Amino acid sequence: MRYNEVGDYMKEKIKKWIEEAEHIVFFGGAGTSTESGIPDFRSKDGLYHLKYDVPPEEILSYHYFLMHPEKFYTFYRDRMDFRNAKPNITHQVLAKLEHRGVLDGIITQNIDDLHEKAGSKNVFHLHGSILENHCMKCHRSYPAEDVFDIDSIPTCICGGRIKPDVVLYEEPLPEQVVNHSIRLLEQADLLIIGGTSLSVYPAASFIRFFRGKRIIVINRETIDTSLVTSSGQEILMVEESLGNIFKYLDKKM
């Protein structure tokens, strides 16, 4: 079922499914944070369409980080410093649902920590966080200011290079986060997918572990339903901004 123009009927159906669920999981992508002023990656106005001498996806690769740390950190500080961003209505309503005991957890591809700023506790970062950094030599932890608020390559007191705890291209996803995410999905009865085109792998493949019967997909652009559902599952595909849907839910729930 797809509604291109989302009226109150569709919004009420989303609300009804949420109210009838006991174990909800939210799987979110970059679109969750665009209304906080953080650009996404793949849309026509996204990060990957900006003009650089080296493509952004190359700069954000592990081999580029090792070979060209100065250029990597120049780009990283210019484009990935989201510390001043504020949670939007989607983050806020998801936190409320968690506090009410119906949202079991959030699986996010984002690295901005806005879910935590909104008050969510059970958040699993598939691609890491800009707020966490570590020395590649001695594994000492460092806060974000030790990476963002300097002009040189961040270096540990032991002499090792400090790396942001974000998953770069060519790096594996954190195993513990993956395992927790899979368990959440297996136990959920409602999956809400928001702000993602499901084009980033392997992260997008994890939704196959969802065994429940109902899926809500909220995204500005159409998503191929074969990427989401299996036999016997109901799906609501909503081509709308997350903010518009969650503002309605916030007023009605």
Side-chain angles (χ1 to χ4, degrees), residues 4 15 31 90 93 95 108 112 120 135 157 173 215 247 252:
N4 290 328
K15 173 177 169 287
T90 301
V93 173
T108 180
D112 50 46
S120 293
C135 172
I157 57 175
L173 302 185
I215 301 174
K247 283 177 186 175
K252 296 292 184 175

Side-chain angles (χ1 to χ4, degrees), residues 66 84 102 127 240:
L66 294 178
N84 293 327
V102 295
H127 296 151
E240 179 61 277

Side-chain angles (χ1 to χ4, degrees), residues 4-234:
N4 290 328
E5 295 183 3
V6 182
D8 286 352
Y9 170 79
M10 187 60 164
K11 293 173 183 176
E12 279 296 315
K13 193 169 186 69
I14 294 171
K15 173 177 169 287
K16 181 174 183 290
W17 278 21
I18 290 174
E19 290 174 340
E20 292 175 350
E22 296 181 355
H23 299 284
I24 303 172
V25 170
F26 180 83
F27 184 97
T32 311
S33 295
T34 53
E35 292 174 72
S36 294
I38 297 177
D40 63 10
F41 286 78
R42 288 171 171 78
S43 72
K44 64 179 181 179
D45 298 318
L47 181 64
Y48 288 170
H49 290 272
L50 298 176
K51 300 301 182 183
Y52 287 90
D53 293 338
V54 179
E57 51 265 63
E58 171 77 3
I59 299 173
L60 294 173
S61 66
Y62 187 66
H63 79 267
Y64 194 90
F65 166 78
L66 294 178
M67 295 175 62
H68 307 285
E70 300 92 344
K71 294 179 180 179
F72 171 87
Y73 277 108
T74 297
F75 179 89
Y76 185 76
R77 292 175 182 128
D78 185 37
R79 294 295 176 182
M80 300 294 179
D81 188 356
F82 309 133
R83 290 176 294 169
N84 293 327
K86 305 297 183 184
N88 60 51
I89 188 65
T90 301
H91 301 107
Q92 294 162 359
V93 173
L94 289 171
K96 290 179 183 179
L97 290 173
E98 181 186 290
H99 294 162
R100 293 177 186 176
V102 295
L103 180 68
D104 289 355
I106 294 168
I107 303 168
T108 180
Q109 299 173 77
N110 296 342
I111 60 176
D112 50 46
D113 277 71
L114 290 182
H115 288 294
E116 287 87 344
K117 283 186 179 181
S120 293
K121 304 296 184 184
N122 207 28
V123 184
F124 298 97
H125 290 264
L126 292 175
H127 296 151
S129 166
I130 63 166
L131 299 186
E132 299 176 2
N133 308 270
H134 73 279
C135 172
M136 299 177 69
K137 184 177 180 181
C138 73
H139 305 292
R140 181 188 296 266
S141 296
Y142 284 89
E145 54 264 29
D146 286 347
V147 171
F148 286 114
D149 296 343
I150 62 174
D151 295 326
S152 57
I153 299 171
T155 304
C156 177
I157 57 175
C158 78
R161 188 188 306 176
I162 298 173
K163 179 188 178 297
D165 285 352
V166 297
V167 178
L168 303 176
Y169 288 101
E170 303 160 353
E171 287 193 292
L173 302 185
E175 183 177 359
Q176 187 174 15
V177 173
V178 168
N179 291 337
H180 281 304
S181 299
I182 290 173
R183 283 197 292 271
L184 268 182
L185 289 165
E186 289 176 335
Q187 297 166 6
D189 55 10
L190 173 63
L191 173 61
I192 303 175
I193 299 171
T196 175
S197 61
L198 296 177
S199 61
V200 179
Y201 284 81
S205 64
F206 296 144
I207 61 173
R208 293 292 186 182
F209 290 95
F210 175 66
R211 299 289 182 262
K213 294 298 184 183
R214 288 177 168 178
I215 301 174
I216 300 170
V217 180
I218 307 169
N219 196 55
R220 287 184 179 274
E221 299 175 358
T222 303
I223 294 176
D224 181 0
T225 56
S226 67
L227 298 173
V228 180
T229 57
S230 60
S231 177
Q233 290 177 323
E234 293 182 86

